[in-house]
Amino acid sequence: MRSGDAGKMILRSARSDAVHAMLVAVPAPVAQDVERDLCATAEGRACRVIRVESPPEPLPEGLLVLWDHGGPLEAVKARCQWAHARRLQTRTWLVVLTKREGDEAEALVAAGADECVAPPGTRWGARLVALRRRSSDGDAQALRRARDMFQGALDAVPEPLFIKDREHRLVAVNSAYCRLLDQPAEALRGTVTSVQVPQHEAEASWRQDERAFTTGQTVEDEGSFTDARGRSREVLTQRAAYMLPNGERFLVGLVRDVTEQSRLETQRRLAERMTSVGTLAAGVAHEINNPLSYVTSNLAYLWERVAQPVLPVPTEQLEELRQVVAEALEGAGRVRSIVRDLRTFSRTEEEQHGPVDVRRAVENAVKLMRDELQHRACMACDLEPVAAVHGNEGRLAQVVTGLLTNALQAFGDRAPEENLLKLRVRPGREGHVLIEVEDNGHGMPAEVRQRIFDPFFTTRSPKGGTGLGLSICLTLVHAMGGHIEVASEEGQGSLFRVELPALTLPPEAARPAQATPAVAEGPSQPVRATRDLRRLLLIDDEPAVGSAVSRLLRNLYEVHVIQDAREALKRLSHGEKFDAILCDLMMPGMSGMDFLVELERLAPELAPRTGLMTGGVNPQAREFVGRRARELLEKPFERDQLCTFVETLMQ
């Protein structure tokens, strides 16, 4: 048999897990004695003996017996060294059949032989047992080394890392993950995520795991994580599934704590928004002062007329007084609209996302910047009807304001009549909405265009801006699932295009429904008898508000005005009955929230017919209203809104 063929046969034997021995250049009589001794033992009966003249490559596993023909010692040592260098030591037993003794035998052992045995040798079965033991110990040692290397590699990763099986059980974690959960690795292995975290977080994690398993793609998601001490953090988790050759599937996940990063990002957005509000302050003041000037003038004129002891009102002057009142109401409405838009734009708390009317958000942004736009450029608006988008109205208005501000800055010190600014809202490709801001400013070279969305990058002077405006715009647009494109050439102006995914709702669905007042206002409306009027309890610490509301509703309801919520509870506890209650949210002494809580205990049947009104609300109060009260009536309100709100409470 050729040595190459023998090697292949031995390898096939090794793969079938059979015991084997290869005799290299061993004379036939000696080889027969060795084989006879092997077959006489329980271990050796399953051994396959192969005789070859020269060892093959690669060397097989098992017993390897070399024959010393008695030549120079160096030649035999070279053969031992060659075989030792090419064998797998833990799975091979190298024996030299030699008559050499003493120093020469030790020299062969030093060259790599496991034993030097006088031919034909004895106890060959015992050598097979020793070889199996060595192989078993070697496998265990190699397994421990591989395990230690694997765990060391995991622990070297500074961020929490986990590996799960297809049943979502943790099979491996690193030390950073143990620190995150404040538990040792031994307590985590074999468990599922739901054991360590709140149920809603465990369910979200399970869904993302399944998504990675089923799609085979890398999944990245951001969410909350509550550790063993009850501390909530914002984490970004990346997951990827993989499969072993035997078909087993596993999932590796990397967790990154982004709590501080999220906090800084929120502060960065807020700082930029407040910077924008500061930039708009002069224009907003102009917009408010204009209507406020004729509101105060008209009210002063009315006061002079009604302050006279006798109030003759000729017919020709009656129309003038009506015009004065109409102008005052129109001016107050303009101020109210500006304040509402500014409040929406600058609100600090993170609001819930939902359907947003794109045109309304754009109109609000334009109204806030109207004064600056009028004095800096000639502007054309083309706002087509478009579908609603999913997002936040204030954030979208901030995006438009940022793009408009950027366009104005691109004009430099040119005369206003030279500056052209176009703002368009139109349907985009199927299922998308486009917002476009185009200017004929200085434009941008390629090297600037590539960096305009980088945080803190600006081409203006150090005092000219933070360089965060466009970066914030990009972040907000990405949060709504959209993207921004820019086309610009130096000296040719710029075009910014915002593309947002549309909802299936029509644009009208984004606007709050305007309920039809239950009671129409007009001189022809009949006045019901006092005994038929339903009783309304009005609680507001501002007497003027109480008086104004009472005058608006006195022909519709029997209104009782109280300035202190505690006094109202006292009257209710004494048995006084009311059909509905309208209470201010923020009051000294007892707030509207505290009043409603006490009312639920004192008169639970009246609590559902209690409404709250306010001129401003913090996040905690807004959350309370969402859980405990009906829709909030925000000041200032118009008569129709007030009547509709109260009539809803009465029902």
Side-chain angles (χ1 to χ4, degrees), residues 193-195 197-207:
T193 309
S194 58
V195 178
V197 299
Q199 182 177 359
H200 68 281
E201 294 179 4
E203 292 175 353
S205 176
W206 189 91
R207 286 194 299 269

Side-chain angles (χ1 to χ4, degrees), residues 4 15 48 78 177 189 209 233 240 246-247 285 333 348 394 453 473 476 499 540 550 558 582-583 624:
R15 281 194 290 269
R48 303 184 62 179
Y177 191 83
R189 292 193 190 99
D209 289 349
R233 305 179 184 181
N246 63 0
T348 57
F453 294 111
C473 289
L476 295 178
E499 186 178 57
D540 197 300
S550 182
E558 182 182 333
L582 183 58
C583 180
F624 174 87

Side-chain angles (χ1 to χ4, degrees), residues 4-221:
D5 295 337
K8 292 177 182 178
M9 189 178 79
I10 292 296
L11 288 176
R12 286 196 297 269
S13 177
R15 281 194 290 269
S16 63
D17 205 25
V19 182
H20 54 272
M22 185 170 70
L23 310 181
V24 181
V26 178
V30 178
Q32 291 173 357
D33 291 339
V34 172
E35 191 169 354
R36 187 183 307 109
D37 186 83
L38 280 170
C39 292
T41 63
E43 288 289 334
R45 277 194 290 270
C47 180
R48 303 184 62 179
V49 179
I50 305 299
R51 303 180 191 180
V52 295
E53 290 301 318
S54 60
E57 289 195 60
L59 287 175
E61 300 174 1
L63 283 176
L64 181 60
V65 182
L66 301 182
W67 175 257
D68 179 7
H69 51 72
L73 176 64
E74 293 301 321
V76 182
K77 285 175 58 179
R79 294 174 65 194
C80 288
Q81 291 170 345
W82 183 92
H84 179 66
R86 288 162 176 75
R87 66 168 174 157
L88 183 61
Q89 189 170 357
T90 58
R91 293 184 174 273
T92 307
W93 194 276
L94 179 57
V95 180
V96 179
L97 289 176
T98 180
K99 296 180 179 179
R100 302 178 194 270
E101 298 179 348
D103 293 341
E104 290 187 337
E106 291 182 3
L108 294 178
V109 172
D114 291 305
E115 285 185 285
C116 290
V117 178
T122 58
R123 301 184 297 107
W124 291 101
R127 291 185 178 87
L128 290 178
V129 174
L131 176 59
R132 283 190 177 276
R133 185 179 301 114
R134 173 188 284 185
S135 299
S136 177
D137 292 343
D139 289 345
Q141 183 178 359
L143 184 62
R144 285 194 299 270
R145 185 171 182 272
R147 183 191 62 197
D148 293 342
M149 288 180 61
F150 175 68
Q151 188 62 50
L154 294 184
D155 291 338
V157 178
E159 294 170 330
L161 186 147
F162 62 84
I163 298 177
K164 296 181 180 180
D165 62 16
R166 193 60 185 87
E167 302 301 322
H168 300 258
R169 293 186 296 258
L170 291 168
V171 296
V173 295
N174 68 350
S175 55
Y177 191 83
C178 294
R179 290 193 297 271
L180 180 66
L181 291 176
D182 197 22
Q183 293 193 46
E186 295 75 15
L188 294 174
R189 292 193 190 99
T191 64
V192 293
T193 309
S194 58
V195 178
Q196 293 90 24
V197 299
Q199 182 177 359
H200 68 281
E201 294 179 4
E203 292 175 353
S205 176
W206 189 91
R207 286 194 299 269
Q208 297 300 331
D209 289 349
E210 277 297 308
R211 182 180 164 197
F213 271 126
T214 55
T215 64
Q217 299 176 347
T218 300
V219 174
E220 182 177 291
D221 71 289

Side-chain angles (χ1 to χ4, degrees), residues 287-289 291-292 295 330-340:
E287 290 297 309
I288 290 179
N289 286 334
L292 195 59
V295 168
E330 187 272 337
R334 283 180 57 182
V335 173
R336 173 178 177 269
S337 177
I338 293 170
V339 172
R340 182 188 63 237

Side-chain angles (χ1 to χ4, degrees), residues 458-465:
T458 179
T459 57
R460 290 177 285 164
S461 63
K463 295 183 179 180

